[in-house]
Amino acid sequence: MSKSYGSVHVLNDINVTVAPGEFICIVGPSGVGKTTLLRSLSGLIDLSAGEVRVGDDVLDGPIPDIGLVFQDYRGSLMPWMRTLENVAFPLRGKGMGKAERNKIAQKCLEDVGLGDAAHSYPWELSGGMQQRVAIARALAYDAHILLMDEPFGALDAQTRLGLEDLVLDLRKRLNISVIVVTHDIDEAVYLADRVVVLSGKPATVIDIVDVDLGNDRDQITTKSDPLFVEYRNRVLKEIMR
C-alpha cells in the first residue's frame, strides 16, 4: 500500500501481514507517517495505491471487526455520558436494545478492570481509567483487531506500565490482534511479537524485528533480559541511521 497527499508522498510500498492473535508495534522517526498508516489500516482514509485486506475482504471503509483507540482519550469520550453509556453508545448503530447494549458494555468494562465505574462520568476518572474506557468501547463493538495510536503517550510512567500489561492480558484472554503505533522503543519491544520499523520519505518498512521474549512478560524481568536490550538497540539503530 502507498499513500500520498497531492505531491507529498507519505507511505510507499508498505507490505505487512498480521496473523490472527498477533501483537504488532509500529515505530519510526517523528513525522514518518505512522498515524497515517494506522488510519489507513482502519479504513478511515483512502489509499493512493494498493489495498488493505481483512481475511479475504478488501477494506473500503471502517468495519466492526476493527476498533481504533486514539491517544486523545479525553476528546474521544463524551463528558455528559456516564462510563457505561460511553461504552454502549456505538452499539446503537447495530440496532440493539438498551438492555443488550448495557450488558455488552458492562462486560467490556469488566474486561478492562472498570466494572465498578459504570456510573461514573469520564471527568471523575483518572487519565489511565479514561483510556481503559476508550479501550472497552473499542472492544464492545466486537472488534477482533485493535488499532492503537500512541495510546499511552499522555500518561504518567506508572499508569503507562499498567496499561501495557492490561493490553497484553486482553490480547491473551480475548485472542484479538493488536497493532500499536508508538514512539517508545522500550514499549514496542515489551509489547510486540514483531516490531515494524518505518523510515524514509516516503516511508517504507526498513526492518521487521521478531521479538522472542515469550508470552508471559514482566516489566522488570523482561526488560532486564539481555535479549530485550539486543532488540531495543537494533530498533534504535535503525531509527537513528
Side-chain angles (χ1 to χ4, degrees):
M1 53 169 283
S2 300
K3 178 62 182 177
S4 300
Y5 293 100
S7 61
V8 179
H9 303 297
V10 181
L11 303 173
N12 182 56
D13 197 22
I14 305 293
N15 188 6
V16 178
T17 299
V18 182
E22 189 174 17
F23 204 127
I24 298 290
C25 283
I26 300 170
V27 300
S30 179
V32 78
K34 299 186 295 296
T35 294
T36 297
L37 174 56
L38 201 72
R39 289 174 179 266
S40 298
L41 295 177
S42 72
L44 287 177
I45 59 178
D46 295 328
L47 301 177
S48 302
E51 61 190 18
V52 176
R53 287 183 174 269
V54 180
D56 295 326
D57 299 325
V58 176
L59 190 69
D60 60 1
I63 60 173
D65 281 345
I66 299 176
L68 182 58
V69 178
F70 298 98
Q71 179 180 358
D72 183 15
Y73 50 86
R74 293 183 179 89
S76 68
L77 299 178
M78 290 165 278
W80 61 88
M81 286 187 175
R82 298 182 188 273
T83 299
L84 186 73
E85 295 171 307
N86 263 289
V87 175
F89 180 73
L91 298 176
R92 292 183 181 182
K94 289 189 171 185
M96 293 182 182
K98 183 176 180 180
E100 186 179 3
R101 295 198 306 267
N102 288 347
K103 181 180 179 180
I104 293 172
Q106 181 64 39
K107 169 63 169 56
C108 291
L109 284 172
E110 290 169 1
D111 282 338
V112 300
L114 286 179
D116 294 334
H119 300 294
S120 300
Y121 288 100
W123 47 267
E124 296 179 299
L125 306 177
S126 68
M129 294 171 76
Q130 289 181 45
Q131 187 61 303
R132 289 183 184 220
V133 175
I135 294 170
R137 185 169 58 187
L139 295 174
Y141 210 66
D142 198 26
H144 303 298
I145 303 166
L146 191 61
L147 308 181
M148 309 181 80
D149 187 8
E150 302 271 12
F152 315 132
L155 302 170
D156 64 86
Q158 185 174 356
T159 301
R160 182 177 192 142
L161 298 182
L163 285 176
E164 288 174 1
D165 288 335
L166 169 71
V167 175
L168 283 176
D169 180 62
L170 287 173
R171 188 276 292 262
K172 183 186 297 184
R173 285 192 287 115
L174 304 179
N175 195 32
I176 57 177
S177 303
V178 185
I179 303 174
V180 172
V181 159
T182 178
H183 66 274
D184 188 312
I185 296 172
D186 281 22
E187 179 173 270
V189 174
Y190 180 72
L191 291 174
D193 299 314
R194 289 186 295 152
V195 178
V196 177
V197 186
L198 301 181
S199 191
K201 292 189 177 183
T204 59
V205 176
I206 61 169
D207 199 4
I208 298 180
V209 181
D210 293 313
V211 180
D212 185 15
L213 292 172
N215 293 326
D216 298 317
R217 302 185 186 185
D218 173 83
Q219 292 287 350
I220 296 175
T221 305
T222 301
K223 291 180 178 178
S224 301
D225 191 320
L227 265 179
F228 180 91
V229 178
E230 182 180 325
Y231 294 136
R232 181 188 63 195
N233 290 346
R234 174 177 165 182
V235 174
L236 183 60
K237 287 177 183 177
E238 293 284 11
I239 290 176
M240 294 183 67
R241 67 172 170 157

